[in-house]
Amino acid sequence: MTIAEVLEYLDGKMPLSNAESFDNVGLLVGSGDTEVTGICCCLDITNDIIGEAVEKGANLIVSHHPVIFGGIKNIPAWSPVYSLIQNGIAAIALHTNFDIAEDGVNDTLVELLEFQKTEVLEVTRGDMGFGAVCDIGIEHSPRSLAEYCKAKLYLDCVKYSRKTRSIYRIAVCCGGGVNDTVMRLAREKGCDAILSGDIKHNFWVEAESCGIALIDAGHFGTEKAASHRLAKIITAEFSQVPVFSAESEKSPACYACSC
């Protein structure tokens, strides 16, 4: 099987054409004609993960975040792109098209949290889109919901709104999903809270004013399961080569927490 065959299969499961216009998805490094020896799945392509791929004999890495995003004017020796080329490893990225796909990154997050998805938060294509509105069944406070998410996602630290309130209905947006549109839709759809990552300060201030709690489980924390879901999707079709989720993947950040 070739890299082109893997890409064609993934395009059928989560069409590249569904990616946002700013995105960079598909085959970013390498040739579609190359025969696949193994596939490593990850959230971000780092030098550690490339080293793991080399060690395990994989010549294709499928990531959620694109290893090439903006324009490249040079490729320094420390760059993962340089390492991919040097080691003859191809890279495929499935980003916003994977976010919104059925059983994609956001659905995986909802599944891990054992929430009941009632609708898509922001519809962008047909019945697909970003985020999910979930009825969580029991009453939570911001702190208890943060503790729940921390346990379910195996995190060390989760940030939450200081002002207490009752939470029954929540918007779930993987990654750095909070923007003006998400804040407006969460209010319009009667959400008591929003769970996401990388939430900017101005939205914490806005949420305080409009009565919505925010739960920030981090970009890595809300999307790290993407690699396991990718491995599962690819293994279902291509069992003839090793497919694995990178064991070396870790958040590049640590936290000193107190509240």
Side-chain angles (χ1 to χ4, degrees):
M1 92 203 203
T2 65
I3 289 171
E5 290 174 306
V6 176
L7 183 59
E8 181 181 11
Y9 167 70
L10 293 171
D11 188 28
K13 299 290 288 185
M14 50 199 88
L16 304 179
S17 59
N18 285 344
E20 293 294 290
S21 58
F22 63 80
D23 212 350
N24 190 29
V25 296
L27 181 60
L28 306 186
V29 177
S31 169
D33 297 331
T34 302
E35 290 289 326
V36 178
T37 60
I39 303 173
C40 174
C41 300
C42 62
L43 177 61
D44 297 283
I45 297 179
T46 66
N47 288 321
D48 284 343
I49 286 174
I50 294 169
E52 181 179 347
V54 170
E55 182 181 338
K56 295 180 177 179
N59 66 345
L60 172 61
I61 298 178
V62 181
S63 69
H64 180 42
H65 293 149
V67 70
I68 301 172
F69 199 71
I72 289 183
K73 295 185 178 181
N74 61 77
I75 303 176
W78 52 260
S79 165
V81 176
Y82 181 94
S83 185
L84 286 168
I85 296 169
Q86 188 178 48
N87 288 284
I89 297 176
I92 289 174
L94 305 165
H95 193 206
T96 50
N97 57 314
F98 187 30
D99 281 327
I100 70 173
E102 184 177 355
D103 293 329
V105 185
N106 207 80
D107 282 355
T108 301
L109 177 59
V110 171
E111 181 182 311
L112 288 172
L113 293 169
E114 298 182 356
F115 290 163
Q116 183 63 46
K117 177 180 175 180
T118 59
E119 61 178 301
V120 173
L121 180 66
E122 182 185 359
V123 177
T124 57
R125 288 173 178 80
D127 59 352
M128 297 187 302
F130 292 101
V133 176
C134 303
D135 291 319
I136 57 179
I138 61 172
E139 179 183 1
H140 269 290
S141 68
R143 182 183 179 91
S144 69
L145 183 57
E147 292 286 358
Y148 175 85
C149 293
K150 177 182 172 183
K152 286 292 183 181
L153 301 177
Y154 300 98
L155 302 175
D156 295 324
C157 191
V158 173
K159 189 176 179 180
Y160 62 93
S161 293
R162 183 182 298 276
K163 186 177 288 186
T164 190
R165 65 206 71 191
S166 296
I167 299 169
Y168 297 94
R169 188 172 173 84
I170 182 169
V172 178
C173 305
C174 63
V178 175
N179 55 29
D180 290 325
T181 299
V182 165
M183 292 294 292
R184 174 180 59 79
L185 288 172
R187 292 195 303 271
E188 291 176 356
K189 294 177 184 289
C191 295
D192 306 306
I194 301 171
L195 165 67
S196 190
D198 295 345
I199 302 175
K200 294 174 65 177
H201 176 74
N202 62 294
F203 295 122
W204 290 92
V205 176
E206 180 180 334
E208 180 95 349
S209 300
C210 70
I212 291 179
L214 298 180
I215 309 294
D216 189 332
H219 202 126
F220 182 86
T222 58
E223 292 194 331
K224 64 179 181 176
S227 61
H228 299 283
R229 183 53 57 94
L230 279 172
K232 181 179 179 181
I233 291 169
I234 296 170
T235 300
E237 181 69 13
F238 302 105
S239 59
Q240 63 269 49
V241 299
V243 180
F244 57 93
S245 175
E247 295 179 5
S248 56
E249 184 158 74
K250 294 178 176 62
S251 173
C254 290
Y255 301 87
C257 298
S258 64
C259 190

